[in-house]
Amino acid sequence: MAENDDQERTEQATSKRREEAREKGQIARSQEVVSVSILVAGLIFFYFGGPGMLAKTLDLMAWVLRRAGGADLTADSAGRILTGCIFKGFGILFPLIIAVLIAAVLGNVLQFGFLFSSESLQPKIEKISPAKGFKRLFSVRSLAELLKGVLKVCVISSVAYLIISREFGNLSLLVDQPTWGTFAYMGGICFKILLAMTVVLVFLAALDYAYQRWEYEKSLRMTKQEIKDEFKNTEGDPLIKARIRRIQREMAHRRMMAEVPKADVVITNPTHLAVAIKYSPDKMAAPVVVAKGADFIAEKIRNIAAENDVPIIEDKPLAQVLYKIVKVNAMVPESLYKAVAEVLAFVYEQKRVKIFG
């Protein structure tokens, strides 16, 4: 670990490192993107649903005034009015709440997809440690967040001031406007400010997401030694891999030897090579090499064949070609059909003679 700490983290993170970080809830996430998503959703909602929401609010106020003025105000009647206000007010705000929730979810999903990690919810000592908290408070990240907040406030304030300053000349005209006209004018100015703020915040959110992405990639960087260790852990120890390969070869060898008793013929070299062939005309398009081997394995194949009355035919050229070019469980190539067919025909004829005399 000390050696890893001394090395520079210059290497890009591997896919395994990224998966582990994601499982821990470590992702590139900008809170500004979520905030802008909520702001955009609210702006769209008020643009299209604002008049209806205002009408429902006025109806609620009229309902409250009628109820309060039409009966004696007692604890029971006040409670009923308050309960009605809560339910009716919730009904008015419910579409806005849904729109905001959807926008918040989409703001996160668009950044890192669907993710649930319980590890970030687990209590950790460093989260409540005063020393760790003090260190985080005066870290580079905290300074960047502070500068970002100050920049955002300055930019938004400047945009709002520019919009309002352009309307100063029209404020005197509001004296002759009716009440609803004044409210509509002020609402229009507010909408312009919100729209301009949204455009600016979208730009700032894009910059913030790019920064968060850069910082996230930087935090995932690895040293060359870490990459070597990860590769070793992923691929496994060479000794263990060699043992696994040996076991796999032994299993394949046993499976191959189990097929020898089912073969129709074993073609030999005569002592150095042995190739077992099986052919079922109703199931196979061509004869299949079910086992083959040289030296000790060839001797084993011959012994098993002899024990199970499998014919053993000596044909040096054919045995050599079959051993060289045909893999186990592979069909005999078309160029060898004739030679193999002659051997099989001879074997079948010998079996017929043996059975019928």
Side-chain angles (χ1 to χ4, degrees):
M1 288 297 293
E3 184 180 356
N4 289 346
D5 293 338
D6 294 337
Q7 296 183 17
E8 293 185 4
R9 298 182 178 275
T10 57
E11 306 301 314
Q12 293 293 328
T14 61
S15 56
K16 185 173 183 294
R17 178 68 171 263
R18 294 179 186 278
E19 290 175 3
E20 290 176 350
R22 185 177 176 84
E23 290 174 358
K24 295 178 182 179
Q26 300 173 2
I27 36 85
R29 178 178 180 273
S30 171
Q31 184 59 41
E32 299 301 323
V33 174
V34 180
S35 301
V36 168
S37 300
I38 294 174
L39 180 60
V40 170
L43 195 64
I44 294 173
F45 179 85
F46 281 117
Y47 182 79
F48 292 101
M53 194 173 182
L54 178 61
K56 291 180 180 179
T57 304
L58 293 175
D59 290 340
L60 175 60
M61 294 176 63
W63 178 82
V64 171
L65 293 174
R66 286 196 301 270
R67 285 298 186 94
D72 294 335
L73 191 61
T74 62
D76 292 338
S77 61
R80 287 194 295 271
I81 293 173
L82 180 60
T83 303
C85 284
I86 293 174
F87 280 102
K88 291 179 181 295
F90 181 77
I92 296 172
L93 295 175
F94 183 73
L96 176 61
I97 295 173
I98 295 298
V100 168
L101 287 176
I102 293 175
V105 172
L106 286 178
N108 286 300
V109 170
L110 291 176
Q111 293 185 77
F112 51 81
F114 292 96
L115 173 66
F116 176 77
S117 175
S118 60
E119 185 165 343
S120 58
L121 301 177
Q122 296 176 0
K124 295 182 180 180
I125 300 298
E126 55 266 25
K127 290 183 178 180
I128 59 175
S129 171
K132 294 284 186 181
F134 186 80
K135 186 177 180 180
R136 286 195 298 268
L137 183 63
F138 292 95
S139 63
V140 176
R141 184 182 181 86
S142 298
L143 178 61
E145 292 294 328
L146 176 62
L147 293 177
K148 182 179 67 178
V150 172
L151 175 64
K152 186 165 64 172
V153 170
C154 293
V155 172
I156 292 175
S157 301
S158 300
V159 171
Y161 174 76
L162 289 175
I163 294 175
I164 294 174
S165 62
R166 293 178 181 178
E167 302 293 335
F168 282 158
N170 299 325
L171 294 179
S172 59
L173 302 177
L174 296 178
V175 177
D176 299 327
Q177 294 291 326
T179 303
W180 280 112
T182 302
F183 277 118
Y185 179 77
M186 298 302 295
I189 294 177
C190 291
F191 185 80
K192 288 181 181 179
I193 294 174
L194 287 174
L195 185 60
M197 286 172 53
T198 301
V199 173
V200 172
L201 289 176
V202 167
F203 177 73
L204 294 178
L207 292 179
D208 184 65
Y209 179 74
Y211 169 75
Q212 297 295 338
R213 192 75 190 180
W214 173 81
E215 190 177 58
Y216 173 71
E217 293 293 334
K218 182 180 177 182
S219 68
L220 289 182
R221 285 180 185 172
M222 305 171 66
T223 64
K224 294 181 178 180
Q225 184 61 40
E226 286 176 336
I227 291 181
K228 292 179 181 178
D229 293 341
E230 181 181 296
F231 179 80
K232 184 177 180 180
N233 293 332
T234 303
E235 296 297 321
D237 189 274
L239 295 177
I240 296 176
K241 290 176 65 178
R243 183 179 179 187
I244 292 174
R245 285 195 297 267
R246 186 176 68 252
I247 293 173
Q248 290 174 341
R249 285 196 299 268
E250 291 174 355
M251 292 175 64
H253 177 73
R254 285 196 294 270
R255 286 195 300 267
M256 184 180 71
M257 290 303 177
E259 294 296 321
V260 175
K262 306 174 185 178
D264 293 313
V265 63
V266 172
I267 303 172
T268 64
N269 193 22
T271 57
H272 297 298
L273 300 176
V275 180
I277 293 179
K278 180 178 177 61
Y279 180 53
S280 299
D282 55 337
K283 297 180 181 178
M284 301 176 181
V288 174
V289 174
V290 295
K292 70 176 184 177
D295 299 326
F296 174 73
I297 297 177
E299 182 181 354
K300 250 185 123 175
I301 291 174
R302 291 195 304 271
N303 293 336
I304 295 174
E307 292 171 359
N308 293 272
D309 296 327
V310 177
I312 301 175
I313 303 297
E314 181 181 335
D315 190 330
K316 294 181 182 179
L318 182 58
Q320 290 174 354
V321 174
L322 288 171
Y323 180 81
K324 185 177 181 180
I325 68 173
V326 185
K327 296 181 180 180
V328 176
N329 294 325
M331 290 189 295
V332 172
E334 188 175 351
S335 59
L336 298 176
Y337 278 180
K338 183 178 179 181
V340 174
E342 290 176 354
V343 173
L344 290 173
F346 176 77
V347 170
Y348 294 153
E349 179 64 23
Q350 291 296 317
K351 287 184 178 180
R352 190 185 65 78
V353 171
K354 185 177 180 180
I355 294 173
F356 298 104

